[in-house]
Amino acid sequence: MAPRKQEFSLKRSGGARSGSVLNLRSPVNSLSLRRSSAVLPSVLTFAVIVASGGLLLMIEKGLLNSVDTPPPRGNGRRLDYLRPSQHQNPAADAESQILQDIRNRTISTVCGQKNMPHSVWSLSPLQRKTLLQHILVNDEHRFLYCYVPKVACSNWKRVLKVLSGALESIHVKVKMDHKSDLLFLSDLKPEEIRFRLKHYFKFMFVRDPMERLLSAYRNKFGEIEAYQRKYGVEIVRRYRKNPGKATGDDVTFAEFVRYLLDEDAERMNEHWMPVYNLCQPCAVPYDFIGSYERLQDDARYVLQRIAAPPHVQFPERQTWYKPVTPQTLQYYLCTLPPRLLSELLPKYILDFSLFSYPLPNTTSQNCRH
């Protein structure tokens, strides 16, 4: 039986939509690292909160801001994440481990619910097809990578091609072909898929949901003519009172959001489909979840973990790339009608909660700044 879709509602409150779940930017000292004495609701209580949709409200009201880091999961399965590195300081290393622990605990609790999928084979046919088409395979180094568009996936595909010998170097300047010379789980037979899911190192990378969404909007509707023709023209015709002769190259962010609200998350284009639907972290027990915000350090760890040759390094960000800044994101979100934002956030609530990203603060006071 296919898992039921999760339903969430965003409750409006008079208070500000909160900042982050945990203040990971605060100084890390020995006391804060004593996670064994952390004060947390029991796993059972937390599960009830999540099941009832209360996690969203708790995040929104900032009720988790003062919660200390939970101890590692008691099943003994812990990521060997921290390693001495000349590129990082101890505080940054500690914050990274804390973030991994938080994600592990949250994913374990949320995915432990009865109505969540617990294996690839418990997914619906459409869910399974999407997942298997987004997991790349490298048999020599025995790893699986679930790629997420707008989260450095082009560079990771470049790395995979170098590891397989299809590309001489990550520095070779060729237009990235996102299909050729790559092996996907969907290319394999069920027994081959089961073996790799059980025995290979599995990783993925995530990004702030709204930042990823804005990056996709600016790239696809501002630069890619094919997306303007395929999606932009239709969006303008649907959501603009006087569309005129639509060309799709002037889609507003509000029009894009209205389009997303009418879309089924499981059938969205991969560039704005929620990460949860792309990579199904409840169905696949990922060994490591890296962050776009710590891309170079987390990528370095993955390359060490899979024993990549020393000459294979993760590519530096291209000089022409214009990242989404916090100020730019705040501007776009603050210009949205509040109703649109309040309806949009629940579509991505599993990405916010599972991967420990704060809900955006778009109170009138914050938007004035």
Side-chain angles (χ1 to χ4, degrees), residues 139-184:
D139 286 324
E140 180 180 354
H141 295 275
R142 297 172 66 89
F143 71 83
L144 303 177
Y145 160 59
C146 184
Y147 80 86
V148 178
K150 308 312 296 180
V151 191
C153 74
S154 294
N155 277 344
W156 272 115
K157 289 177 179 178
R158 187 179 294 272
V159 168
L160 263 75
K161 290 189 178 189
V162 172
L163 289 172
S164 68
L167 195 63
E168 182 180 351
S169 167
I170 60 170
H171 302 296
V172 174
K173 295 183 178 181
V174 295
K175 183 176 175 60
M176 173 56 61
D177 187 319
H178 291 265
K179 298 295 182 183
S180 69
D181 301 316
L182 292 169
L183 178 65
F184 297 81

Side-chain angles (χ1 to χ4, degrees), residues 1-228:
M1 180 181 297
R4 292 179 294 177
K5 290 184 181 180
Q6 303 302 296
E7 297 293 337
F8 299 92
S9 63
L10 181 64
K11 298 182 181 180
R12 299 294 299 275
S13 66
R17 278 194 290 270
S18 166
S20 61
V21 176
L22 287 176
N23 181 13
L24 295 182
R25 296 298 178 189
S26 59
V28 178
N29 54 44
S30 59
L31 181 61
S32 67
L33 296 180
R34 294 175 187 170
R35 294 187 291 274
S36 60
S37 62
V39 179
L40 271 181
S42 67
V43 172
L44 178 60
T45 302
F46 191 53
V48 172
I49 291 171
V50 172
S52 66
L55 177 61
L56 175 56
L57 185 60
M58 291 181 72
I59 296 174
E60 182 184 18
K61 290 189 173 182
L63 298 181
L64 300 183
N65 284 357
S66 60
V67 175
D68 291 329
T69 309
R73 289 180 293 181
N75 60 7
R77 182 178 179 273
R78 182 175 178 179
L79 292 173
D80 176 26
Y81 178 73
L82 293 181
R83 294 187 178 188
S85 171
Q86 60 180 348
H87 303 281
Q88 293 176 245
N89 58 54
D93 282 344
E95 287 189 359
S96 300
Q97 181 65 67
I98 289 171
L99 182 57
Q100 290 297 316
D101 287 345
I102 292 169
R103 286 175 176 166
N104 286 344
R105 172 60 68 91
T106 307
I107 290 173
S108 176
T109 302
V110 174
C111 295
Q113 304 304 304
K114 290 183 179 179
N115 60 342
M116 300 299 278
H118 297 112
S119 77
V120 169
W121 313 107
S122 66
L123 297 170
S124 70
L126 176 60
Q127 291 170 333
R128 184 162 56 249
K129 178 182 178 182
T130 299
L131 173 66
L132 298 182
Q133 288 178 341
H134 282 83
I135 295 185
L136 288 156
V137 183
N138 182 284
D139 286 324
E140 180 180 354
H141 295 275
R142 297 172 66 89
F143 71 83
L144 303 177
Y145 160 59
C146 184
Y147 80 86
V148 178
K150 308 312 296 180
V151 191
C153 74
S154 294
N155 277 344
W156 272 115
K157 289 177 179 178
R158 187 179 294 272
V159 168
L160 263 75
K161 290 189 178 189
V162 172
L163 289 172
S164 68
L167 195 63
E168 182 180 351
S169 167
I170 60 170
H171 302 296
V172 174
K173 295 183 178 181
V174 295
K175 183 176 175 60
M176 173 56 61
D177 187 319
H178 291 265
K179 298 295 182 183
S180 69
D181 301 316
L182 292 169
L183 178 65
F184 297 81
L185 268 187
S186 56
D187 298 328
L188 305 178
K189 298 177 181 178
E191 60 270 20
E192 296 173 324
I193 294 172
R194 287 188 177 92
F195 177 85
R196 285 159 178 80
L197 285 170
K198 182 177 181 180
H199 296 288
Y200 282 18
F201 176 74
K202 299 170 286 294
F203 72 95
M204 58 184 287
F205 273 71
V206 296
R207 184 179 186 180
D208 178 278
M210 294 297 100
E211 183 181 303
R212 174 175 172 254
L213 203 62
L214 179 56
S215 178
Y217 162 75
R218 297 207 306 177
N219 173 240
K220 300 308 174 188
F221 297 106
E223 303 173 12
I224 312 298
E225 187 176 345
Y227 275 78
Q228 295 168 0

